């Protein structure tokens, strides 16, 4: 395989089965993949890349089902997707953000800026972009022109690296190279909270699905958790230290009981949010910087993408078995249900269940990646769909 060729690497993911050898797929013209997300009941992986395209990939086979291209003239660095409305938002270094009808490949809205677009997010008709000029801009996708921005509102002092909207659509979090994260009232474009503590670039942020907590990932190798209702750290001051390099991505599970983080140290680390214990670590096999991480709806699978153009699916239940970080001073506990040994922040002799047995006790459903491909059902969208 040519050195310039990059791959999507898929691992067989099924409860109770061993992870098989990876299957390789050529994709995105050998350039970095900047974001990844599982959609359509985890049967589809959506990615955006420096090759200026968005790809839709079948999780089962890795086959390319659909491509969005021709809209941007520079790297696509961020994206957001609305499955129910068939909308996908992209942000690019060409200073534009584009809203796509991904069923037809048509552009339905675009916003242009005077500086690089570094991040984007959407909720209903609202579109938010973060830019290299230190500001965010708020748009209504039914009209043109920004309806609000963070200028003259005690905003960031350096490039906005990430912007995310809360699930209820009321709050916005922006993080920046100025080492802070800011929480805004999205309706008023008014700053509510300034979250400090990181000592390096804050690269990513994520709201919990119940909008109670906010996580931030930083190049200072740490992840911080905030109770955004009070503006303080959750559970006193909670700092999740486990990475050996810059942390670039973070994502909550669907029920908010688990947090996944990834970074330049090639690790995906899974955290138990009920007690802030480290569940385990998954290790990328090559010397690569992991860019983004996303958990499946059933919390059994995690997908990552990297600067080397590699995307992987991992079985979260193998986190303790696949790889355990050495010499990190971690304590362990034994699950009273399955006997699994898992990582703990503090030594304990108290009987405990591992996070996966707790999932099972809550009757969580296991994943089925062998689903119909994207757009094959009539209810999934129009009959006339262009695939590439």
């Amino acid at each position: 395989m040519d050195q310039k060729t990059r791959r999507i690497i898929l691992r067989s993911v099924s409860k109770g089965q061993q992870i098989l050898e990876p299957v390789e797929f050529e994709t995105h013209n050998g350039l970095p993949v900047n974001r990844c997300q599982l959609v359509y009941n985890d049967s589809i992986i959506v990615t955006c890349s420096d090759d200026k395209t968005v790809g839709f990939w079948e999780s089962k086979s890795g086959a390319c089902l659909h491509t969005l291209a021709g809209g941007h003239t520079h790297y696509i660095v961020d994206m957001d997707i609305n499955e129910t409305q068939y909308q996908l938002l992209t942000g690019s270094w060409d200073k534009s953000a584009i809203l796509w009808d991904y069923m037809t490949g048509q552009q339905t809205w675009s916003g242009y800026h005077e500086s690089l677009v570094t991040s984007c997010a959407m909720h209903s008709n609202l579109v938010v972009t973060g830019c290299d000029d230190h500001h965010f801009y708020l748009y209504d996708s039914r009209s043109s022109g920004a309806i609000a921005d963070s200028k003259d509102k005690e905003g960031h002092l350096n490039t906005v690296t990430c912007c995310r909207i809360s699930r209820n659509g009321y709050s916005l979090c922006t993080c920046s190279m100025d080492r802070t994260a800011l929480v805004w009232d999205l309706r008023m474009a008014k700053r509510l909270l300034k979250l400090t503590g990181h000592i390096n670039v804050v690269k990513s942020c994520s709201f919990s699905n119940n909008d109670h907590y906010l996580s931030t990932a930083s190049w200072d190798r740490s992840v911080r958790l905030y109770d955004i209702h009070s503006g303080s750290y959750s559970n006193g001051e909670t700092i999740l230290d486990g990475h050996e390099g810059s942390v670039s991505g973070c994502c909550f599970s669907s029920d908010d009981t688990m947090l996944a983080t990834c970074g330049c140290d090639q690790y995906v680390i899974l955290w138990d949010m009920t007690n802030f214990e480290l569940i385990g670590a998954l290790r990328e096999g090559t010397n690569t910087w992991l860019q983004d991480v996303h958990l499946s709806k059933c919390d059994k699978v995690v997908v990552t993408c990297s600067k080397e153009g590699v995307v992987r699916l991992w079985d979260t239940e193998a986190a303790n078995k696949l790889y355990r970080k050495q010499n990190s001073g971690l304590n362990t506990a034994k699950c009273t249900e399955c006997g699994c040994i898992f990582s703990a922040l503090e030594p304990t002799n108290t009987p405990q269940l591992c996070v996966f047995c707790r999932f099972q006790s809550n009757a969580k459903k296991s994943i089925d990646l062998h689903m119909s491909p994207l757009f094959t059902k009539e209810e999934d969208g129009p009959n006339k769909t262009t695939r590439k």
Side-chain angles (χ1 to χ4, degrees):
M1 182 176 292
D2 191 285
Q3 287 186 348
K4 294 184 178 180
T5 300
R6 296 299 185 264
R7 311 170 304 281
I8 273 192
I9 296 183
L10 301 176
R11 296 178 181 267
S12 175
V13 183
S14 180
K15 184 179 177 182
Q17 295 182 1
Q18 295 294 322
I19 295 181
L20 304 181
E21 289 299 315
V23 179
E24 297 187 356
F25 298 89
E26 298 180 9
T27 181
H28 284 302
N29 297 319
L31 293 173
V33 179
N34 297 313
R35 284 217 66 196
C36 57
Q37 188 171 342
L38 285 161
V39 296
Y40 282 88
N41 293 321
D42 306 326
S43 63
I44 305 296
I45 308 169
V46 186
T47 59
C48 66
S49 169
D50 279 9
D51 72 352
K52 312 167 194 175
T53 71
V54 174
F56 291 75
W57 313 87
E58 185 184 22
S59 296
K60 178 182 176 181
S61 66
C64 183
L65 302 173
H66 193 45
T67 300
L68 298 178
H72 290 292
T73 59
H74 213 309
Y75 307 152
I76 300 179
V77 294
D78 202 3
M79 67 178 187
D80 199 4
I81 190 167
N82 183 334
E83 295 180 52
T84 59
Q85 300 297 318
Y86 311 126
Q87 293 179 324
L88 186 137
L89 176 68
T90 53
S92 170
W93 279 11
D94 64 8
K95 304 182 181 181
S96 74
I98 296 176
L99 189 62
W100 306 76
D101 179 333
Y102 60 76
M103 299 292 291
T104 64
Q106 298 298 309
Q107 301 175 28
T108 60
W109 175 91
S110 59
Y112 295 91
H113 306 71
E114 295 180 355
S115 60
L116 304 180
V117 176
T118 53
S119 185
C120 62
M122 65 177 172
H123 187 280
S124 186
N125 295 314
L126 293 179
V127 171
V128 176
T129 57
C131 292
D132 189 44
D133 64 1
H134 312 176
H135 302 298
F136 77 81
Y137 298 86
L138 177 64
Y139 299 88
D140 186 327
S141 61
R142 297 167 296 185
S143 60
S144 60
I147 58 177
D149 57 54
S150 60
K151 295 179 179 178
D152 304 319
K153 291 183 174 65
E154 297 182 297
H156 290 291
L157 303 177
N158 209 327
T159 300
V160 176
T161 55
C162 183
C163 57
R164 297 291 178 258
I165 301 174
S166 62
R167 301 304 187 269
N168 61 19
Y170 296 156
S171 301
L172 169 72
C173 179
T174 57
C175 47
S176 169
M177 293 182 71
D178 68 5
R179 308 177 184 181
T180 69
L182 304 179
V183 179
W184 305 80
D185 182 325
L186 194 56
R187 296 162 295 181
M188 303 294 293
K190 178 182 178 180
R191 197 183 85 177
L192 300 176
L193 302 170
K194 181 177 182 179
L195 307 176
T196 60
H198 286 296
I199 58 174
N200 207 329
V201 172
V202 185
K203 183 62 173 66
S204 182
C205 58
S206 178
F207 283 98
S208 61
N209 290 280
N210 62 9
D211 289 330
H212 191 76
Y213 294 119
L214 173 71
S215 65
T216 56
S218 171
W219 288 1
D220 65 8
R221 305 184 181 185
S222 75
V223 177
R224 291 178 182 250
L225 299 172
Y226 302 88
D227 181 337
I228 56 177
H229 291 284
S230 65
S232 63
Y233 293 103
S234 64
N235 192 33
E237 181 174 343
T238 302
I239 305 174
L240 304 181
D241 284 318
H243 285 280
E244 298 170 355
S246 300
V247 188
S248 53
C250 55
C251 177
F252 285 94
S253 63
S254 59
D255 63 358
D256 297 326
T257 61
M258 185 162 59
L259 178 72
T261 60
C262 68
C264 73
D265 59 359
Q266 309 167 39
Y267 292 112
V268 178
I269 296 182
L270 303 179
W271 306 89
D272 184 347
M273 298 311 298
T274 61
N275 53 21
F276 306 110
E277 291 181 349
L278 189 151
I279 300 169
L282 303 168
R283 187 171 189 263
E284 170 69 57
T286 58
N287 185 22
T288 185
W289 183 313
L290 296 180
Q291 297 271 71
D292 191 29
V293 61
H294 189 258
L295 279 159
S296 65
K297 289 184 178 179
C298 73
D299 306 331
K300 299 297 184 182
V301 174
V302 61
V303 61
T304 60
C305 60
S306 75
K307 279 191 174 182
E308 294 300 316
V310 176
V311 173
R312 273 192 173 91
L313 283 175
W314 309 85
D315 183 352
T316 60
E317 291 188 344
N320 292 295
K321 304 172 186 177
L322 185 64
Y323 187 82
R324 183 177 299 280
K325 300 179 72 174
Q326 304 295 327
N327 303 321
S328 55
L330 296 176
N331 301 288
T332 61
K334 185 174 183 178
C335 177
T336 56
E337 182 68 25
C338 67
C340 173
I341 303 298
F342 59 95
S343 303
L345 293 181
E346 299 294 339
T348 178
N349 295 319
T350 305
Q352 294 188 51
L353 292 177
C354 70
V355 66
F356 305 111
C357 287
R358 286 202 297 275
F359 288 160
Q360 293 173 359
S361 66
N362 292 331
K364 292 186 66 64
K365 298 180 180 179
S366 62
I367 192 169
D368 180 12
L369 290 181
H370 300 272
M371 301 185 67
S372 299
L374 185 63
F375 312 140
T376 56
K377 294 183 179 180
E378 216 173 62
E379 63 268 24
D380 280 342
N383 292 327
K384 296 182 180 179
T385 302
T386 301
R387 299 188 189 179
K388 186 174 179 180

